């Protein structure tokens, strides 16, 4: 199986589900499915339902250390933030913590540090 952002995120959420068995805060972490290739009608419906370009992949809705929560953007390989993702961060970085992760272990460590 070829490694990808999707596979890394699946590994991360497998770990999150295990952590959630002992710590309720992990059970509140969720993925925001805004990106990806879709059929045109699905993309139109998602936009009409409120999907927005630039919203980051994962949200940790736990206030901590002066932040209202934390957003994580999973990237793979040489992928970088899009212009829309940069604008999203710039508008909210006074209120939320933002982290870009290139593998699930990195994301795991950032979440553990944030929730300490």
């Amino acid at each position: 199986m070829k490694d990808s952002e999707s596979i890394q995120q699946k590994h991360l959420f497998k770990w999150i589900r295990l952590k959630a068995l002992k710590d309720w805060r992990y059970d509140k972490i969720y993925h925001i499915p805004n990106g990806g290739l879709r059929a045109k009608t699905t993309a139109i419906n998602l936009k009409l339902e409120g999907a927005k370009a630039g919203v980051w992949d994962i949200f940790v809705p736990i206030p901590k250390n002066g932040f209202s929560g934390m957003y994580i953007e999973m990237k793979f390989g040489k992928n970088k933030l899009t212009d829309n993702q940069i604008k999203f961060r710039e508008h909210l970085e006074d209120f939320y913590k933002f982290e870009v992760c290139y593998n699930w272990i990195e994301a795991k460590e950032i979440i553990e540090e944030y929730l300490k």
Side-chain angles (χ1 to χ4, degrees), residues 34 45-52:
N34 274 325
N45 283 330
L46 285 172
K47 189 169 185 172
L48 291 171
E49 292 169 0
K52 294 189 182 299

Side-chain angles (χ1 to χ4, degrees), residues 7-47:
I7 288 170
Q8 290 296 313
Q9 197 161 308
K10 288 173 185 174
H11 287 307
L12 176 65
F13 273 91
K14 181 178 181 181
W15 172 79
I16 287 170
R17 284 189 294 279
L18 289 172
K19 290 291 285 185
L21 297 173
K22 293 186 179 183
D23 186 338
W24 66 269
R25 298 173 304 167
Y26 288 84
D27 189 46
K28 304 307 171 205
I29 299 170
Y30 60 92
H31 167 65
I32 303 163
N34 274 325
L37 298 174
R38 295 183 170 88
K40 189 174 182 178
T41 54
T42 302
I44 290 169
N45 283 330
L46 285 172
K47 189 169 185 172

Side-chain angles (χ1 to χ4, degrees), residues 5 56-58 70-82 85-86 89 97-108 110:
E5 181 181 318
W56 288 36
D57 291 324
I58 298 166
M70 178 172 63
Y71 283 96
I72 297 173
E73 177 62 28
M74 295 296 292
K75 293 293 183 188
F76 189 75
K78 296 180 181 181
N79 290 345
K80 302 287 183 206
L81 293 176
T82 66
Q85 289 168 335
I86 292 168
R89 179 184 62 197
K97 183 172 179 65
F98 287 84
E99 295 286 349
V100 178
C101 298
Y102 284 85
N103 62 62
W104 80 272
I105 298 290
E106 186 180 354
K108 166 192 169 297
I110 284 169

Side-chain angles (χ1 to χ4, degrees), residues 83-97:
D83 288 343
N84 284 332
Q85 289 168 335
I86 292 168
K87 287 177 191 170
F88 183 85
R89 179 184 62 197
E90 287 173 349
H91 291 142
L92 295 172
E93 63 191 343
D94 289 342
F95 310 102
Y96 296 95
K97 183 172 179 65

